[in-house]
Amino acid sequence: MDYEKFFGEQIEQLQDEGNYRIFADLERMAGEFPRAKAHHGDSVDEIVVWCSNDYLGMAQHPEVLAAMVDATERYGAGAGGTRNIGGTHHEIVLLEQELADLHQKEAALVLTSGWVANLTALCTLGAKLPGAVIVSDAWNHNSMIEGIRAGRCDKVVFRHNDVDHLELILKALPEGTPKIVAFESVYSMDGDIAPIADILEVCERHGALSYIDEVHAVGLYGERGGGVCEREGLMDRVDVIQGTMAKGFGVIGGYVAGSRKMVDFVRSFGPGFIFSTALPPPVAAACRASVAWVKAHPEIREKHQERARALSDRLLSAGLPVMVNQSHIVPVKVGDPVLCRRASDLLEERGHYVQPINYPTVPKGTERLRFTPSPNHDEQMMGSLERAMVAVWKELGLPLSGAESSAA
Ligand code: PLP
């Protein structure tokens, strides 16, 4: 086989469809977020970043930076191996206690990313529970889909957020079948929120283990940032809460939280935990500082929600097709991959960076720009973005007719 020819043809196909991914060459600036430098060959421009998942700007928080620097000087840069081989660094033990406390669970297990946490936990549960069936929301993230696939158990998909469909599926499974219902709280591309209480009720009625991905909610919702489950008083009813430290907490790393036995089970059998080097101690220290700070500062969550509403309202009143939803995510529909890329390029020329979201991240025909304003995005930035968006929409001949209903 001519491997190079094959690789080239596949890439060309993506380019022809307008789905080839081009990364922005950015330099984040500590203390200046959301301002950043954008490199274009030899030139460097200053831009405002609108699409970061560092939702609260915690990646530059002085206490987080100080914890990371201090831990680097004390412990060095790396963990020294998997936790089986190199030992568990004390910073990770403390971080797991902090996370278990955040979710009011008996225990938590830290993995190297949210993706690895989902892959490992679902694959382990699916593979080891005898005859298990995983019932998965149709919009679940790739990390859950890959985890379910890797566990090689049976899988049934329920229509997105459709509790009646979920119940029909559970009812049809033979009595005594181990069942895991896997879903998310905030779906990150449309910003819609799952009917968690209803899903849990159905799980309880049918003896299913509930598994929720709160990746786009931890740090952001609930009195202490425990996610939508905390906000809705449901944390004690969910069996497995999965989260990340890369978004609301601004660093990196993933985790699952739940009963001591469930966590010990994933620790003892999960390949993505057993066979992969642990998070570096300075990273664990930065994560812990971030979680502790975010827990104690509900005002940052209020400011975050207020900024998201302010941007959504502003773009809507300018006639832009905002896909209105209940969360902090502000998607604006374009509906075409080439125009979506072009809109992103034209905005960048005007000093605003927002990544185009194209297939396969979202279904074809629903291509969009996805804005995630943080507490640091001020009125002046929002005004400038609004003017730039209207100019770009006019230049591309896109309609300025207002709200777009979400696909949810
Ligand atoms: N789960 C969901 C719903 C996600 O959107 C993502 C990443 O964006 C992940 C899990 C993976 O988390 P991480 O970025 O920490 O690997």
Side-chain angles (χ1 to χ4, degrees):
M1 184 178 189
D2 185 341
Y3 299 107
E4 288 297 309
K5 181 164 171 282
F6 176 80
F7 300 146
E9 282 168 359
Q10 292 292 304
I11 295 294
E12 258 170 47
Q13 191 182 328
L14 281 181
Q15 284 165 335
D16 291 347
E17 291 166 353
N19 289 327
Y20 182 66
R21 289 167 195 245
I22 301 162
F23 298 148
D25 183 353
L26 299 183
E27 232 184 285
R28 305 186 95 204
M29 299 184 283
E32 299 287 325
F33 180 72
R35 294 187 195 283
K37 290 179 185 163
H39 289 255
H40 302 106
D42 289 339
S43 70
V44 183
D45 303 307
E46 203 168 286
I47 44 128
V48 175
V49 176
W50 287 98
C51 50
S52 173
N53 281 341
D54 177 13
Y55 291 126
L56 301 177
M58 291 305 293
Q60 65 171 16
H61 194 283
E63 289 186 26
V64 176
L65 304 193
M68 191 178 258
V69 170
D70 177 59
T72 307
E73 282 167 1
R74 286 188 9 223
Y75 312 125
T82 67
R83 283 161 74 177
N84 280 326
I85 288 177
T88 286
H89 201 283
H90 192 57
E91 273 299 339
I92 298 185
V93 175
L94 297 176
L95 173 59
E96 287 175 341
Q97 288 167 2
E98 190 75 58
L99 291 165
D101 174 73
L102 174 69
H103 294 293
Q104 296 290 288
K105 292 291 187 193
E106 287 175 359
L109 182 75
V110 165
L111 297 102
T112 45
S113 73
W115 195 91
V116 171
N118 267 336
L119 179 90
T120 304
L122 283 167
C123 141
T124 307
L125 293 168
K128 290 275 172 193
L129 282 168
V133 177
I134 299 188
V135 188
S136 173
D137 186 284
W139 286 17
N140 273 346
H141 186 255
N142 164 274
S143 50
M144 286 203 261
I145 297 168
E146 294 294 343
I148 296 166
R149 195 174 286 159
R152 297 194 191 150
C153 65
D154 283 343
K155 158 180 141 173
V156 188
V157 174
F158 67 99
R159 284 192 295 273
H160 177 56
N161 279 348
D162 186 336
V163 182
D164 293 336
H165 191 214
L166 171 64
E167 176 134 47
L168 272 181
I169 291 168
L170 291 178
K171 242 189 211 161
L173 292 171
E175 183 88 26
T177 305
K179 305 168 269 288
I180 302 152
V181 173
F183 63 110
E184 301 179 22
S185 58
V186 176
Y187 287 84
S188 68
M189 291 301 144
D190 283 58
D192 58 318
I193 296 180
I196 305 175
D198 295 344
I199 291 178
L200 293 180
E201 215 177 294
V202 171
C203 288
E204 287 156 3
R205 227 181 351 259
H206 296 277
L209 199 81
S210 49
Y211 182 110
I212 193 165
D213 172 321
E214 287 248 44
V215 158
H216 292 277
V218 288
L220 313 180
Y221 295 87
E223 180 54 29
R224 298 194 313 159
V228 182
C229 288
E230 185 191 16
R231 183 184 75 179
E232 298 181 3
L234 299 169
M235 285 198 296
D236 60 332
R237 285 173 59 194
V238 186
D239 296 304
V240 187
I241 298 181
Q242 181 271 352
T244 185
M245 288 161 299
K247 303 185 198 293
F249 299 124
V251 191
I252 195 161
Y255 62 91
V256 286
S259 73
R260 198 173 306 288
K261 283 187 183 147
M262 184 282 294
V263 166
D264 200 16
F265 183 78
V266 177
R267 184 188 74 86
S268 303
F269 294 106
F273 174 79
I274 297 172
F275 298 107
S276 188
T277 297
L279 276 191
V283 170
C287 289
R288 183 160 70 92
S290 183
V291 176
W293 191 92
V294 166
K295 252 183 199 169
H297 290 85
E299 71 281 2
I300 198 169
R301 283 180 278 289
E302 278 165 36
K303 180 85 191 281
H304 178 230
Q305 292 295 320
E306 182 277 319
R307 291 287 74 202
R309 274 193 306 277
L311 182 67
S312 178
D313 290 349
R314 196 184 254 282
L315 297 182
L316 270 175
S317 37
L320 287 147
V322 175
M323 299 162 75
V324 179
N325 62 73
Q326 318 101 292
S327 78
H328 58 282
I329 290 160
V330 184
V332 178
K333 189 160 165 192
V334 178
D336 176 273
V338 176
L339 289 175
C340 200
R341 162 101 259 152
R342 190 80 193 110
S344 163
D345 290 345
L346 290 172
L347 283 168
E348 197 178 334
E349 284 171 18
R350 290 165 168 85
H352 297 280
Y353 173 60
V354 61
Q355 176 73 8
I357 308 280
N358 285 353
Y359 179 81
T361 309
V362 295
K364 287 182 180 168
T366 72
E367 293 80 3
R368 66 199 67 173
L369 301 175
R370 173 183 177 270
F371 297 88
T372 51
S374 73
N376 300 26
H377 286 83
D378 61 25
E379 280 303 301
Q380 184 268 328
M381 291 171 187
M382 289 194 181
S384 164
L385 176 72
E386 179 193 333
R387 288 188 292 280
M389 284 285 281
V390 170
V392 168
W393 246 243
K394 286 184 177 158
E395 186 169 336
L396 295 178
L398 288 164
L400 279 166
S401 47
E404 180 70 35
S405 64
S406 138

